[in-house]
Amino acid sequence: MKVEHKEELKVKPKKKKVPLGIKIVLIFLVLFLILAGSVFAYLQIMLNKINKVDNSQLDLLPRDEESFEVDDSLNVDGSDVINPEEITWDGLDINVMRDEDVINILLIGQDRREGQGRQRSDTMIICSLNKRDKKITLSSVMRDLYVPIPGYSDNRINAAYQFGGMPLLDQVMEESLGIHIDGNVEVDFDGFINSLAVIGNLDIDLYQEEADYLNQGNSEWNLQAGVNSLTPEQALAYARTRYVGHSDWERTDRQRRIVMAAFNKVKGEDLGTLLDLTDEILPNLTTDMTNMEILSLVYTVFINGMTEMESYRIPVEGTYTCETLSVGMEVLVPDLNENSKYLQEYIYGKSAQQ
């Protein structure tokens, strides 16, 4: 008797269908990643236009080559002239302030001619991003401030940059003013102002003496006392003016006014104008920060809605004396303890000084 073996049918398991909703989410996720990658790559290309400096490869000026900015027109034979050795720093007690909610970027401007190496920092502005108070502060440090410079003789603070670049200038900021610097940006101020042609004129309030002085350089300008719409060329002349008013005191004020006016105008511009402006400005910058650190700063300003800017200046009135040194320099000799206290309270809202 034959037994028939029925062949067993093999049934293939059915594939589970991916719900339409999940498919849509995955497609959007892939598109987002592609877009984010493209934006990141674009930003990297843009930021690579900034000149980078490697502080580990920095050449320090030999001690025997240090110099002093001598003003040949000074009379150093008078009774009011003092020797540098007479200025001491007894009682100096500076505590460096650090606050995770405050980021300090030092903006450095140097008067360098084509073909020259590192020069003195004629402009030093501490740009502080305060995430807690959601504001930006600009604190100018006067170039004639007389301070101890580690490894060198006491000198004007602007000499620190020429002698030891960003690291030495940062060290002086910490040891003399108690401010920790998180990063540095050297600015070609002429290039920066000229780049503003992308956004147009800046409204700046001039007083009569400033207007008259600027008009002397160009009779066609016809600037008046009051608010004037300055062209980039006029803004540059205004920012560089030193011989009107109280010399470098008002010059630093003018530079901060230009930066603040530019910031206030830029924050209202469209994306296309901002990208054009960025493309023009970046080649005029030199920094020791990485691209990721720069992007982090931009994110900090954006996410915290930092649209307000304030300005300040060191030294504070009543905390310094003007002295003529026998080496041929006029300097501002500060009470560093007091100035550190004032500056910390302005930037951080509190002081680490006793």
Side-chain angles (χ1 to χ4, degrees):
M1 183 174 182
K2 291 183 179 181
V3 179
E4 294 183 2
H5 297 281
K6 293 183 179 179
E7 187 175 345
E8 295 182 359
L9 296 176
K10 294 182 179 179
V11 180
K12 294 182 178 180
K14 293 183 178 180
K15 292 183 178 179
K16 293 183 178 180
K17 290 185 177 180
V18 179
L20 179 61
I22 295 180
K23 286 183 178 180
I24 294 175
V25 170
L26 290 175
I27 291 173
F28 273 106
L29 179 60
V30 171
L31 291 176
F32 173 77
L33 291 175
I34 293 174
L35 178 61
S38 300
V39 171
F40 182 77
Y42 174 77
L43 290 174
Q44 291 291 331
I45 292 173
M46 291 287 287
L47 292 176
N48 284 337
K49 295 181 179 182
I50 301 177
N51 303 297
K52 301 295 196 307
V53 60
D54 184 355
N55 287 328
S56 65
Q57 303 296 321
L58 189 70
D59 292 328
L60 296 177
L61 188 76
R63 173 67 184 270
D64 58 3
E65 294 182 17
E66 69 174 332
S67 60
F68 302 90
E69 279 186 307
V70 175
D71 187 349
D72 294 331
S73 64
L74 280 180
N75 178 13
V76 294
D77 297 325
S79 59
D80 56 345
V81 174
I82 64 174
N83 294 317
E85 294 77 16
E86 296 179 52
I87 300 175
T88 61
W89 308 104
D90 297 335
L92 187 60
D93 183 23
I94 304 295
N95 296 308
V96 179
M97 174 71 82
R98 293 175 184 266
D99 187 330
E100 62 182 12
D101 288 326
V102 178
I103 303 170
N104 293 315
I105 305 301
L106 184 60
L107 307 181
I108 304 167
Q110 60 172 334
D111 188 15
R112 180 173 59 190
R113 301 293 186 269
E114 186 175 351
Q116 289 183 325
R118 192 174 61 239
Q119 300 298 306
R120 284 172 163 80
S121 51
D122 280 346
T123 300
M124 290 156 285
I125 300 176
I126 303 172
C127 178
S128 304
L129 310 180
N130 191 317
K131 294 181 283 187
R132 182 174 53 252
D133 296 338
K134 302 186 185 305
K135 69 177 181 179
I136 302 173
T137 60
L138 302 177
S139 305
S140 292
V141 179
M142 297 293 293
R143 62 190 292 277
D144 292 338
L145 199 69
Y146 194 68
V147 295
I149 299 182
Y152 299 89
S153 304
D154 296 350
N155 208 323
R156 288 173 174 159
I157 193 170
N158 68 342
Y161 186 67
Q162 183 183 40
F163 297 169
M166 294 174 180
L168 183 58
L169 183 54
D170 290 351
Q171 184 179 355
V172 172
M173 290 290 176
E174 289 202 357
E175 295 183 1
S176 292
L177 295 174
I179 302 298
H180 174 69
I181 302 299
D182 297 289
N184 299 269
V185 177
E186 180 199 311
V187 183
D188 180 336
F189 209 77
D190 290 15
F192 171 77
I193 296 296
N194 290 331
S195 300
L196 295 180
V198 175
I199 62 171
N201 297 356
L202 299 178
D203 290 337
I204 300 294
D205 192 359
L206 304 179
Y207 58 83
Q208 191 63 57
E209 190 178 4
E210 288 175 324
D212 292 342
Y213 181 83
L214 293 171
N215 288 333
Q216 289 177 8
N218 192 321
S219 58
E220 297 179 357
W221 282 359
N222 194 31
L223 299 173
Q224 306 292 327
V227 177
N228 292 257
S229 181
L230 299 187
T231 66
E233 182 183 5
Q234 292 168 340
L236 177 59
Y238 171 77
R240 299 182 71 179
T241 298
R242 176 178 290 170
Y243 303 107
V244 173
H246 196 8
S247 187
D248 270 340
W249 294 96
E250 292 191 19
R251 179 171 177 258
T252 60
D253 288 342
R254 295 183 186 106
Q255 291 171 345
R256 292 197 306 277
R257 287 176 196 162
I258 288 291
V259 173
M260 293 172 69
F263 176 80
N264 288 329
K265 186 166 185 178
V266 164
K267 68 184 182 183
E269 295 292 344
D270 58 66
L271 180 60
T273 300
L274 291 177
L275 291 177
D276 289 342
L277 179 62
T278 301
D279 191 55
E280 288 288 333
I281 287 181
L282 293 185
N284 297 306
L285 308 180
T286 300
T287 186
D288 58 354
M289 294 185 290
T290 65
N291 286 353
M292 289 305 298
E293 288 173 330
I294 296 171
L295 287 174
S296 177
L297 291 177
V298 174
Y299 176 79
T300 296
V301 172
F302 176 77
I303 202 67
N304 288 282
M306 294 182 180
T307 58
E308 299 301 321
M309 186 176 286
E310 300 176 355
S311 66
Y312 194 62
R313 183 183 62 207
I314 288 294
V316 177
E317 293 295 335
T319 64
Y320 67 93
T321 59
C322 297
E323 304 291 353
T324 300
L325 303 185
S326 58
V327 293
M329 294 195 307
E330 285 186 333
V331 297
L332 307 174
V333 181
D335 181 330
L336 290 176
N337 290 331
E338 282 297 301
N339 277 281
S340 175
K341 178 182 176 182
Y342 280 119
L343 186 57
Q344 288 181 350
E345 288 178 345
Y346 181 72
I347 292 177
Y348 300 101
K350 55 186 176 181
S351 174
Q353 309 313 320
Q354 300 297 326

